[in-house]
Amino acid sequence: MKPDPLLTVRDLRVAFRGVEVVRGVSFEVRRGEVLAVVGESGAGKSLTARALLGMLPAEATAGGTVRPDLSSERGRRISLVPQDALSALSPVHPVGDQLAAAVRSVRGVGRKEARALAVSALERVGIADAARKARAFPHEYSGGMRQRAVIAMATINEPDVVVADEPTTALDEDHRDQVLRVLGERREAVGAALVLVTHDMDVVREHADRVLVMYAGRLTELGPAKAVLGRPRAPYTAGLLASLPRHAPAGRRLPTLRGTPPAPGALPPGCAFAPRCPLAADDCHAAEPEPQAVEGRLVACHRWAEVPHPAAELFREQPYVAS
């Protein structure tokens, strides 16, 4: 029996000056699970995640429902691991002081106890000599250590939901794996759900329980990560997977998705992916597909039954051409 959702998102919409960039996205997040949100740049994945935190830009307008609304309890029941740890941390205060301030703002403990909790939080994310490093400033940390520090800050108050927005983008593969391992350990320790925004499908494969694939601000595919990555039913998901080196046929150049995503204010009629899709037919250009239940997941595609297996076969006639 599946646990009840911690968060239920229905028909989420985010617009800038009347132009929708997130267009009716719905999903649920359950305790203890990792929900990965993937897609190309501009898909709306970061805006979707930040809407959960109530951290949209001032010029944005939002619609739909997020239940319960945890944005007023940011730092206590929901927290953020940002992409750029250096920008997220104050350059003029020691890291330990910043963690202690996060504790005091939520728990109301004294300075001494908050300081001890800050040092313990740094120890738990694998920072050696944590008492000394707590007195250091962010610029004295390496990139991987800074990312561990913001994980410590995001989990120090044991939130129900942690939102990680591209937390490993600036890291090499070794540091990426270390940070994701630490993030997973802290998620499990506090019993939180994790919403992981990423462009890295290998990260999804290794760490996610479920995956939400977005394109042009809409849900394209949503389901168990193992099923979606093992047998994608949306051509766009298939294209993302086909572009991974491990899926490239031996002796052939790496496939790629032709073209670029449409601008939010200039969407084509019908399915937004149709101009780039090898399977597109007349109905794809005429009507935007609504998500439908397919093989234990949701798929928004008119041609889902025609997606071949393995996924790379759909793009075999589209070899990569260097620009």
Side-chain angles (χ1 to χ4, degrees), residues 28-226:
E28 295 175 341
V29 184
R30 295 182 174 84
R31 181 172 294 282
E33 80 167 350
V34 179
L35 173 67
V37 184
V38 302
E40 293 169 282
S41 296
K45 54 189 187 293
S46 288
L47 286 172
T48 296
R50 286 176 177 266
L52 307 181
L53 292 143
M55 293 179 63
L56 292 171
E59 64 271 23
T61 58
T65 59
V66 179
R67 293 178 179 168
D69 180 4
L70 302 181
S71 60
S72 63
E73 300 184 79
R74 193 163 59 237
R76 186 172 75 87
R77 295 192 62 196
I78 188 168
S79 62
L80 173 68
V81 177
Q83 179 179 143
D84 185 355
L86 187 58
S87 295
L89 294 167
S90 168
V92 298
H93 296 96
V95 171
D97 288 1
Q98 296 181 58
L99 267 70
V103 173
R104 297 191 70 198
S105 68
V106 170
R107 303 192 196 180
V109 300
R111 292 181 183 274
K112 184 176 180 180
E113 184 177 353
R115 179 76 178 183
L117 289 169
V119 172
S120 295
L122 292 175
E123 290 175 339
R124 287 194 296 267
V125 297
I127 292 180
D129 196 6
R132 181 177 65 84
K133 295 302 291 185
R135 297 191 294 271
F137 292 84
H139 72 271
E140 298 177 281
Y141 280 43
S142 68
M145 287 177 62
R146 283 194 294 268
Q147 205 64 32
R148 289 173 184 243
V150 296
I151 292 172
M153 185 174 292
T155 57
I156 194 169
N157 290 312
E158 301 186 354
D160 292 326
V161 181
V162 176
V163 177
D165 187 3
E166 299 274 15
T168 61
T169 295
L171 304 178
D172 60 34
E173 186 173 350
D174 287 341
H175 283 100
R176 181 202 72 176
D177 292 341
Q178 291 171 17
V179 165
L180 288 170
R181 183 177 66 253
V182 169
L183 184 57
E185 290 170 353
R186 295 310 307 145
R187 175 188 61 82
E188 292 176 1
V190 303
L194 173 63
V195 179
L196 176 62
V197 177
T198 182
H199 65 278
D200 190 331
M201 298 299 281
D202 283 332
V203 166
V204 178
R205 185 183 303 280
E206 296 165 13
H207 297 277
D209 299 304
R210 290 192 304 135
V211 56
L212 165 62
V213 183
M214 293 184 64
Y215 185 78
R218 292 211 2 132
L219 178 156
T220 293
E221 193 160 3
L222 169 64
K226 184 176 180 179

Side-chain angles (χ1 to χ4, degrees), residues 219-259:
L219 178 156
T220 293
E221 193 160 3
L222 169 64
K226 184 176 180 179
V228 171
L229 301 188
R231 185 71 166 92
R233 282 305 194 177
Y236 179 62
T237 309
L240 292 178
L241 290 170
S243 65
L244 296 176
R246 70 171 62 190
H247 292 283
R252 297 185 54 204
R253 304 187 77 176
L254 191 65
T256 186
L257 286 168
R258 293 181 299 186

